[in-house]
Amino acid sequence: MNVVIFGATGQTGRLLAGRAVADGHTVTAFVRDPARLNLTHDSVRIVQGDVLDAAAVDRGVAGQQAVLVALGTATSRSSPPVLPQGIRHILDAMEKLGVRRIVVLSAAGAIHEPAGSLIGSVGLMLARAYLPRVYAEHRAMLEELRKRDLDWVAVRPVILTNGPYTGRYRVVVNGIPRGGYRISRADVADFMIRQLTSDEFVRRMPAIAN
């Protein structure tokens, strides 16, 4: 499958790219700085650009069969909101070019969902209070996804770690897995790659935790 990855130089994005290649997909890495990719393979193509540039996004989406998104939020208060503007450009390009499948990395707590435990609820409350701009970007991105008649999946992991791949994680559609506070980026990448060819969570927002 031809897959473009937005955010391929981030910590989760790199794992997505490596896993996609390992699974036999042909990968297009959409990046601002190609030097940060650290992945060379015959099945990897690089498109340099900014997700806030609609024309550049069109170039990245052209010829693809699916899209993976692991973008970060804006780095400063003066920066434009990356997630809602970036996802809008990506979705517009997909509709224009006839690409239907998109799997997006978001965050647990972005839609004010219940945590399933007192400790989890307190943790989410503190996170939202400490990172209001981050959660606002995620909510706006998810609202944009909901408007589109595409085969989208929005993955809501709990706190991300750099732990190893385990293949053992819990997934729920409503709320957050009870007692699940962390998950490795490698496990998240595994789940996201699986959604490229599964319809189980299409037009849903599964939360994932170890």
Side-chain angles (χ1 to χ4, degrees):
M1 180 182 289
N2 295 335
V3 182
V4 59
I5 303 175
F6 290 88
T9 58
Q11 292 185 79
T12 306
R14 290 191 188 102
L15 293 170
L16 283 171
R19 175 60 188 270
V21 168
D23 281 10
H25 298 293
T26 300
V27 173
T28 295
F30 185 94
V31 299
R32 284 184 298 175
D33 181 4
R36 294 181 55 205
L37 186 58
N38 297 326
L39 177 65
T40 56
H41 194 279
D42 290 343
S43 63
V44 177
R45 164 178 168 256
I46 296 175
V47 172
Q48 185 172 8
D50 192 318
V51 74
L52 300 179
D53 178 350
V57 171
D58 285 355
R59 292 196 300 273
V61 174
Q64 306 301 325
Q65 295 167 293
V67 178
L68 291 166
V69 179
L71 294 169
T73 54
T75 55
S76 70
R77 292 182 179 276
S78 60
S79 303
V82 174
L83 296 186
Q85 291 191 24
I87 202 68
R88 191 174 303 118
H89 290 160
I90 293 168
L91 297 172
D92 287 347
M94 291 176 65
E95 291 176 344
K96 184 189 310 180
L97 297 165
V99 181
R100 290 203 55 83
R101 180 62 57 109
I102 178 170
V103 184
V104 178
L105 179 65
S106 185
I111 55 176
H112 294 292
E113 66 273 40
S117 69
L118 178 60
I119 294 175
S121 297
V122 171
L124 280 180
M125 181 179 66
L126 293 173
R128 293 186 189 112
Y130 185 68
L131 300 168
R133 182 183 173 100
V134 169
Y135 280 95
E137 281 202 36
H138 278 280
R139 282 194 299 275
M141 176 181 70
L142 296 176
E143 288 167 5
E144 188 66 39
L145 267 179
R146 283 188 174 116
K147 299 175 185 176
R148 306 300 181 112
D149 183 24
L150 295 170
D151 297 333
W152 54 263
V153 180
V155 181
R156 298 180 292 114
V158 291
I159 296 171
L160 294 170
T161 75
N162 291 322
Y165 164 75
T166 69
R168 299 186 301 274
Y169 45 78
R170 294 170 293 145
V171 183
V172 299
V173 173
N174 299 312
I176 299 168
R178 186 175 181 84
Y181 307 120
R182 292 177 176 80
I183 187 166
S184 70
R185 290 181 171 86
D187 279 338
V188 172
D190 174 74
F191 180 73
M192 290 181 68
I193 293 295
R194 290 177 185 275
Q195 304 321 302
L196 293 175
T197 54
S198 170
D199 292 334
E200 182 176 1
F201 297 107
V202 168
R203 300 186 67 80
R204 306 179 88 176
M205 300 182 180
I208 179 172
N210 288 130

